[in-house]
Amino acid sequence: MLKSITDKLIIKKVEPFELDIEKDLKEKIDSYWNNYIKEHPEYYNSEILTVDKFDLDNNIVEVRKMNFSDLFYSAKKGELKTRNIFSAILFKTLDDFYIVIRNSYDSRINIIGGMAEIKDFD
């Protein structure tokens, strides 16, 4: 669902801040991640934010902390439902060129963007 937000968006840190993941599932995530990074050392397991709840009537988004490995596992396996905060931007120069980046690890073209990390909100 898309909703236009015209007022101030409130991003609220929820306590306990760490996303609660059952022990068995966390062990699966860790095992999957450890095997994956053996062949893909360009990835690192940073702390990121996930949307826990949102109140669209009052423009409040409640967030918790999780690891990139949790998000990665949820995208690949679907056993953990996550909604990460991600933003991107496409710049157009005055001479009508667009600024994009080429991934160093697989040569794909991307626009500039990224997931919200904990340090982004300190």
Side-chain angles (χ1 to χ4, degrees):
M1 168 189 1
L2 296 176
K3 180 185 176 196
S4 177
I5 297 175
T6 56
D7 294 327
K8 182 178 179 180
L9 179 66
I10 300 166
I11 300 176
K12 190 168 145 181
K13 180 178 165 183
V14 178
E15 294 296 339
F17 193 37
E18 184 86 27
L19 183 67
D20 186 26
I21 300 174
E22 293 177 15
K23 183 180 177 187
D24 292 346
L25 181 55
K26 190 62 177 163
E27 288 172 357
K28 285 184 189 178
I29 292 169
D30 292 343
S31 175
Y32 186 83
W33 178 257
N34 290 330
N35 288 327
Y36 187 81
I37 61 170
K38 288 177 187 172
E39 294 183 27
H40 300 89
E42 67 275 10
Y43 289 99
Y44 64 98
N45 197 15
S46 64
E47 293 179 332
I48 59 173
L49 297 176
T50 185
V51 175
D52 189 47
K53 293 183 203 171
F54 45 89
D55 175 354
L56 297 178
D57 294 327
N58 297 305
N59 296 332
I60 298 172
V61 175
E62 294 182 357
V63 297
R64 291 188 189 272
K65 176 176 73 167
M66 63 188 264
N67 293 317
F68 180 73
S69 59
D70 304 328
L71 172 69
F72 190 79
Y73 185 85
S74 82
K76 299 291 183 182
K77 300 291 185 177
E79 291 181 52
L80 176 67
K81 300 298 180 206
T82 62
R83 299 175 294 248
N84 66 307
I85 299 173
F86 182 90
S87 63
I89 189 165
L90 181 60
F91 287 105
K92 183 177 181 181
T93 65
L94 293 175
D95 52 355
D96 290 329
F97 285 92
Y98 291 96
I99 300 174
V100 296
I101 58 172
R102 181 179 304 273
N103 294 345
S104 61
Y105 50 89
D106 66 5
S107 298
R108 285 186 291 173
I109 300 292
N110 274 317
I111 59 176
I112 300 165
M115 286 177 276
E117 296 184 47
I118 303 305
K119 64 183 177 186
D120 297 328
F121 290 89
D122 285 345

